[in-house]
Amino acid sequence: MSKIDEITREKWILGAFPEWGTWLNEEIDETVVEPGTFTLWWIGNTGLWLKTEGGANLAVDLWFGNGKRTQKVKEMKPYHQMRNLTGGAMTQPNLRAAPIVFDPFAITKLDVVLATHIHSDHICPFFAAAVLQNCGPEVKFVGPKECGDLWESWGVPKNRIVVVRPGDTVKVKDIEIDALESFDRTVMVTAQEDLHGKILDMDSKAVNYLIKTPGGSFYHAGDSHYSIRFAKHGKENDIDVAFGSYGENPVGCHDKMTSSDILRMAEALQAKVVIPFHYDVWTNFKADPVEILELWKFKKDVLQYKFKPFIWEVGGKFTYPNDKDKMRYHYRRGFEDCFTNEQNVPYPSFL
């Protein structure tokens, strides 16, 4: 039988996905974090992996699913949050645009799983299963009540779930996790009922996080929209790096912060660095984060900004404070060992 005859759809899927294999898993495992710093990797969407100088590993909002996969379904489900939000019924074209750069089933070390809210691109059954299968019983799952309910319904033991509301603090090794108010107005309309006249509890559905390490802190805004109460969080907390969900909102829909909102958020939080995310993943919300950088250049002198934006790439590494003055990320280019050995070319001037 020829090689081609042996190849099946299943073999293709197992051979090609996840696209990066265990490359990033290995990088995270091998990284030694220097004292006075912390290191983050962008896993995609709002998913971040944190590693500290004490060797603690934290994962927040990791997601390994997908968006739309067929055009045969013409309408969103009744009471879908985007249907509630916009009054439209047509299936939105939210296809996943970013690759999966991490293999959840190759996890070797993890201390805590965080979720900011209940939307399916922020809390993931595949990741939960991988953690239960690969990691020890000491790993906790931390999130608001409805995230806890989801995890429990999937089979996560109840004694491993820590439900938090704004004001709560969870400590893991050398990490302190502070739950803060979320400003995610989209999650507020995520319900299976008529919402007219309803009084809803944001705190049971979503939280933001301030995550403190010996090397500094970062603020994870989840899917928060812009709110003037970012300024309250900035006054009450010392924030080094702030992450906000950015995107190009389709007409009739407001679900992501704009470039101006991202800068306003960073200023209000009194952050040193602001990093946009979430713009990478959905085709219908794709945006160019360089717009944030250009708007920052336009405003920074007149408004006396004390922060800098950093434009990241999925799968990339960011270490604070070492990288605080960088403006844009580039993947490692390689070939550092060129001319270590003699070239195998017909003659020296061949290239």
Side-chain angles (χ1 to χ4, degrees), residues 33-101:
V33 179
E34 299 173 359
T37 72
F38 65 86
T39 297
L40 294 165
W41 288 266
W42 187 14
I43 310 301
N45 203 31
T46 67
L48 301 176
W49 189 286
L50 165 70
K51 194 168 186 179
T52 69
E53 64 182 66
N57 287 273
L58 174 151
V60 54
D61 277 10
L62 265 60
W63 166 67
F64 300 97
N66 46 56
K68 298 298 182 291
R69 292 160 60 91
T70 177
Q71 297 190 45
K72 295 176 182 177
V73 178
K74 301 302 182 184
E75 290 192 358
M76 292 179 276
K77 294 178 180 178
Y79 298 118
H80 186 281
Q81 64 265 20
M82 287 301 177
R83 190 165 183 160
N84 292 342
L85 184 69
T86 67
M90 290 176 60
T91 296
Q92 58 173 321
N94 61 320
L95 292 89
R96 180 168 184 148
I100 292 176
V101 298

Side-chain angles (χ1 to χ4, degrees), residues 274-293:
V274 64
I275 303 178
F277 55 10
H278 212 324
Y279 63 87
D280 63 300
V281 72
W282 294 131
T283 52
N284 59 332
F285 282 91
K286 284 283 285 184
D288 188 343
V290 175
E291 179 183 323
I292 295 169
L293 184 57

Side-chain angles (χ1 to χ4, degrees), residues 177-207:
I177 304 158
D178 294 342
L180 304 172
E181 299 158 290
S182 172
F183 312 118
D184 183 356
R185 290 183 281 279
T186 304
V187 82
M188 289 295 283
V189 296
T190 301
Q192 299 300 313
E193 59 182 328
D194 186 339
L195 295 173
H196 290 89
K198 298 287 185 181
I199 298 175
L200 304 174
D201 178 22
M202 170 78 83
D203 297 341
S204 68
K205 294 177 178 290
V207 294

Side-chain angles (χ1 to χ4, degrees), residues 62-345:
L62 265 60
W63 166 67
F64 300 97
N66 46 56
K68 298 298 182 291
R69 292 160 60 91
T70 177
Q71 297 190 45
K72 295 176 182 177
V73 178
K74 301 302 182 184
E75 290 192 358
M76 292 179 276
K77 294 178 180 178
Y79 298 118
H80 186 281
Q81 64 265 20
M82 287 301 177
R83 190 165 183 160
N84 292 342
L85 184 69
T86 67
M90 290 176 60
T91 296
Q92 58 173 321
N94 61 320
L95 292 89
R96 180 168 184 148
I100 292 176
V101 298
F102 183 91
D103 185 345
F105 288 92
I107 291 173
T108 60
K109 297 176 184 177
L110 184 62
D111 296 291
V112 61
V113 177
L114 268 62
T116 57
H117 66 287
I118 58 174
H119 286 157
S120 59
D121 56 336
H122 298 263
I123 181 169
C124 177
F126 301 117
F127 185 51
V131 171
L132 292 180
Q133 293 173 29
N134 286 45
C135 303
E138 71 281 358
V139 180
K140 299 297 185 184
F141 291 72
V142 177
K145 180 183 181 303
E146 292 192 20
C147 287
D149 293 343
L150 266 179
W151 279 321
E152 189 175 355
S153 73
W154 294 339
V156 176
K158 191 170 185 176
N159 64 358
R160 295 180 62 176
I161 297 169
V162 179
V163 172
V164 293
R165 292 176 66 87
D168 291 341
T169 296
V170 177
K171 294 184 178 181
V172 180
K173 290 187 175 178
D174 60 351
I175 300 171
E176 180 179 303
I177 304 158
D178 294 342
L180 304 172
E181 299 158 290
S182 172
F183 312 118
D184 183 356
R185 290 183 281 279
T186 304
V187 82
M188 289 295 283
V189 296
T190 301
Q192 299 300 313
E193 59 182 328
D194 186 339
L195 295 173
H196 290 89
K198 298 287 185 181
I199 298 175
L200 304 174
D201 178 22
M202 170 78 83
D203 297 341
S204 68
K205 294 177 178 290
V207 294
N208 291 355
Y209 291 110
L210 178 63
I211 299 168
K212 302 173 184 176
T213 80
S217 67
F218 71 93
Y219 181 97
H220 194 298
D223 269 357
S224 287
H225 300 216
Y226 183 77
S227 170
I228 61 171
R229 286 179 73 88
F230 279 131
K232 183 175 187 291
H233 291 178
K235 283 193 170 185
E236 294 175 347
N237 301 283
D238 183 12
I239 299 169
D240 292 311
V241 183
F243 291 88
S245 286
Y246 166 63
E248 195 68 61
N249 293 296
V251 173
C253 177
H254 183 83
D255 185 58
K256 304 289 183 288
M257 283 191 274
T258 66
S259 53
S260 179
D261 291 334
I262 291 290
L263 298 182
R264 292 177 70 201
M265 180 193 74
E267 183 181 29
L269 290 173
Q270 301 180 46
K272 283 86 168 177
V273 178
V274 64
I275 303 178
F277 55 10
H278 212 324
Y279 63 87
D280 63 300
V281 72
W282 294 131
T283 52
N284 59 332
F285 282 91
K286 284 283 285 184
D288 188 343
V290 175
E291 179 183 323
I292 295 169
L293 184 57
E294 293 304 311
L295 189 59
W296 176 83
K297 291 176 184 177
F298 182 76
K299 291 185 170 188
K300 67 182 178 68
D301 295 323
V302 67
L303 295 184
Q304 298 296 297
Y305 283 155
K306 295 180 174 60
F307 65 89
K308 292 182 178 180
F310 177 70
I311 308 306
W312 217 0
E313 298 286 349
V314 174
K317 177 181 177 182
F318 178 85
T319 297
Y320 185 87
N322 302 21
D323 297 331
K324 67 181 177 62
D325 293 321
K326 294 181 179 179
M327 306 294 283
R328 297 187 68 176
Y329 178 84
H330 197 290
Y331 297 106
R332 176 185 159 205
R333 299 179 71 193
F335 301 100
E336 298 91 347
D337 62 343
C338 63
F339 296 104
T340 301
N341 301 300
E342 189 69 29
Q343 296 167 276
N344 181 24
V345 294

